Amino acid sequence: MRKSLLAGVAGLALAAGSVSAQDLKFTPGEGGYNWDSYNAFAEANDLSGQTLNLFGPWRGDDQALAESVWAYFAAATGATVNYSSSESYEQQIVIDTEAGSPPDIAILPQPGLIQNLVSKGFVEPLGEETASWLADNYAAGDSWVGLGTYAGPDGEDRLYAFPYKIDVKSLVWYSPDNFEDAGYEVPESMEELKALNDQIVADGGTPWCIGLGSGGATGWPATDWVEDLMLRTQPAEVYDQWTNNEIPFDDERVVAAIEEFGAFARNDDYVAGGAGAVASTDFRDSPKGLFSSPPQCYMHRQASFIPSFFPEGTELGIDADFFYFPSYAEKDLGNPVLGAGTLAFITNDTPASRAFIEFLKTPIAHEVWMAQTGFLTPLQSVDTELYGDSTLKKMGSILLDATTFRFDGSDLMPAGVGAGTFWTGMVDYAGGKDAAEVAGEIQSSWDGLK
């Protein structure tokens, strides 16, 4: 009964579309796109008369962007491509796979959900050749292999998912005019960033605007801070052990990362409105202090989407810019990047499904979306000059310069922790509670889920 009800609700919200060779955004052979890769793929894949059913999270304008890419697969192979999505796509993919009517390819932003589908035998391995390809062709390639690798029904780890369309979170936003007026330079290491904090305070200013408010999701911005700081204070392997609960949440290394966040957020001199305002300030309002006169703050750490909440008329690259949230020079942990993104995987093993994974290896499958908006890729063979604007190009360079990429940790944890006690625990910590006590309570909640 419950499945039927969910199917009815999701079905009402279903968005579907079909793409064809007539929908090509850019004419093959023109511009600086890698048409050689496209032509080679077309020569190797004749799927005339076959259909590829894709399911993903994109709707509205994003669906149109995705379909502008799928059109090249259709044109190259002769296949008919159908794309569908749902407002309840997380539930819909479970319903469809369990009912024995999955799409050929699903593309989702939740590694935990993918692991669940893999463990039930609903996803097909992509093979060692694709794992090797990712390692060789994506910047920080081993990170991407790890992200797409899951334990199968037999408990063996294999590559099941192909990372595609990535988001970057390790960013600090600032006003170039404010920096120039004050004589500040963009810090290139965490040591320089901390020195800048103190310099701004000495000059009578406030370094940071930080807000954790987000309605029922209040607290999540702090989890991103802690995750970024885990990657800057510990090797990536420790980050993995933490997000898998192979080490407890109250491990001293995790507690230290929380306290590292506190060094920024619990210092009255460092935060606009004082430390007491952090938990109550809405994250959507917090960056506005960058643009007041005089500035209420000089920096704001947040992901690539935050310009949506900048004051109307703010021009990126002029009124606002960003830099990479830097790593410690003295810790020799490289340039880790925290982010998120979507992963494509096969839920119905057909020649068209396999060909689609091969298509995602071509630069053209990335460049078409890059040249428009909202797309970042770690694929090293793309022409970065094709990015639709300078902001995307700069974010893309951060991905390409990364030595390590790790997915948002709270999204890797069980929902009761990652979207529950981790959020609320960070609010408690921002309010003055002891880091070790907060971490212990989060671990207790994780233990309760086992």
Side-chain angles (χ1 to χ4, degrees):
M1 179 64 74
R2 180 172 177 273
K3 287 182 183 177
S4 298
L5 179 61
L6 280 173
V9 172
L12 289 173
L14 191 67
S18 181
V19 298
S20 68
Q22 284 70 45
D23 299 318
L24 298 185
K25 186 78 175 177
F26 309 108
T27 303
E30 296 183 0
Y33 303 89
N34 192 324
W35 297 116
D36 288 345
S37 71
Y38 172 77
N39 292 332
F41 174 78
E43 290 176 7
N45 293 276
D46 182 358
L47 301 174
S48 300
Q50 299 186 40
T51 298
L52 178 71
N53 293 312
L54 296 169
F55 181 83
W58 302 299
R59 300 167 60 79
D61 292 342
D62 287 337
Q63 177 172 336
L65 289 164
E67 290 178 343
S68 73
V69 179
W70 314 156
Y72 286 86
F73 178 85
T77 63
T80 297
V81 179
N82 299 318
Y83 172 79
S84 63
S85 183
S86 167
E87 291 178 357
S88 306
Y89 62 83
E90 301 98 326
Q91 293 96 336
Q92 190 67 54
I93 189 63
V94 174
I95 293 166
D96 291 345
T97 52
E98 290 186 345
S101 56
D104 300 315
I105 293 280
I107 309 173
L108 296 176
Q110 290 102 341
L113 176 55
I114 299 172
Q115 173 63 81
N116 183 49
L117 296 171
V118 168
S119 65
K120 293 179 179 178
F122 293 145
V123 184
E124 295 296 324
L126 298 183
E128 287 299 320
E129 182 180 345
T130 296
S132 296
W133 185 92
L134 283 171
D136 293 340
N137 290 276
Y138 271 21
D142 289 341
S143 295
W144 301 103
V145 175
L147 179 59
T149 297
Y150 302 89
D154 60 358
E156 292 295 318
D157 287 343
R158 299 181 183 87
L159 183 74
Y160 283 92
F162 190 102
Y164 176 77
K165 189 182 183 299
I166 308 306
D167 298 314
V168 172
K169 295 193 172 192
S170 300
L171 304 175
V172 178
W173 296 86
Y174 72 106
S175 164
D177 285 343
N178 290 345
F179 264 49
E180 183 178 357
D181 290 346
Y184 302 144
E185 295 184 359
V186 170
E188 296 184 358
S189 68
M190 185 61 71
E191 291 89 345
E192 290 184 5
L193 178 60
K194 289 188 172 183
L196 178 59
N197 288 342
D198 293 334
Q199 182 61 54
I200 292 172
V201 171
D203 293 341
T206 303
W208 296 93
C209 281
I210 303 175
L212 308 187
S214 186
T218 292
W220 72 259
T223 69
D224 285 358
W225 270 90
V226 173
E227 290 154 10
D228 247 336
L229 290 166
M230 274 292 290
L231 289 171
R232 282 152 182 74
T233 56
Q234 301 297 328
E237 293 76 16
V238 175
Y239 181 92
D240 297 337
Q241 292 167 353
W242 170 50
T243 58
N244 292 327
N245 207 214
E246 294 173 17
I247 60 172
F249 214 105
D250 53 358
D251 181 277
E252 62 181 10
R253 293 164 291 185
V254 181
V255 172
I258 296 173
E259 291 175 337
E260 191 87 345
F261 165 61
F264 292 87
R266 296 201 345 181
N267 185 329
D268 286 330
D269 292 335
Y270 279 7
V271 187
V278 169
S280 59
T281 301
D282 193 288
F283 85 92
R284 288 157 286 212
D285 294 329
S286 59
K288 294 175 182 176
L290 294 171
F291 308 103
S292 63
S293 182
Q296 295 176 12
C297 62
Y298 283 85
M299 294 177 287
H300 181 74
R301 187 224 154 275
Q302 190 50 273
S304 55
F305 69 82
I306 199 61
S308 300
F309 302 105
F310 288 171
E312 186 175 352
T314 300
E315 189 170 350
L316 296 184
I318 297 178
D319 303 316
D321 205 345
F322 61 90
F323 57 86
Y324 167 69
F325 187 53
S327 55
Y328 281 97
E330 66 182 24
K331 292 186 182 295
D332 196 27
L333 293 174
N335 296 316
V337 170
L338 179 73
T342 53
L343 299 102
F345 53 99
I346 296 173
T347 45
N348 185 31
D349 201 352
T350 69
S353 299
R354 293 289 169 179
F356 184 77
I357 298 299
E358 293 303 310
F359 175 67
L360 294 183
K361 298 176 184 178
T362 68
I364 205 70
H366 301 246
E367 291 174 344
V368 167
W369 202 333
M370 281 170 55
Q372 299 178 78
T373 187
F375 186 91
L376 299 174
T377 179
L379 180 58
Q380 295 171 308
S381 57
V382 298
D383 182 354
T384 57
E385 295 300 321
L386 294 173
Y387 270 114
D389 59 59
S390 58
T391 297
L392 287 171
K393 181 181 177 182
K394 187 174 176 181
M395 290 179 184
S397 71
I398 289 175
L399 266 183
L400 291 176
D401 289 342
T403 54
T404 301
F405 180 91
R406 284 298 184 270
F407 208 89
D408 181 293
S410 59
D411 286 341
L412 299 174
M413 298 172 186
V417 177
T421 53
F422 193 5
W423 289 353
T424 57
M426 289 303 96
V427 174
D428 291 341
Y429 175 69
K433 201 166 186 176
D434 179 71
E437 184 180 357
V438 166
E441 291 171 352
I442 297 172
Q443 182 58 44
S444 294
S445 74
W446 204 328
D447 292 338
L449 298 175
K450 296 176 181 177

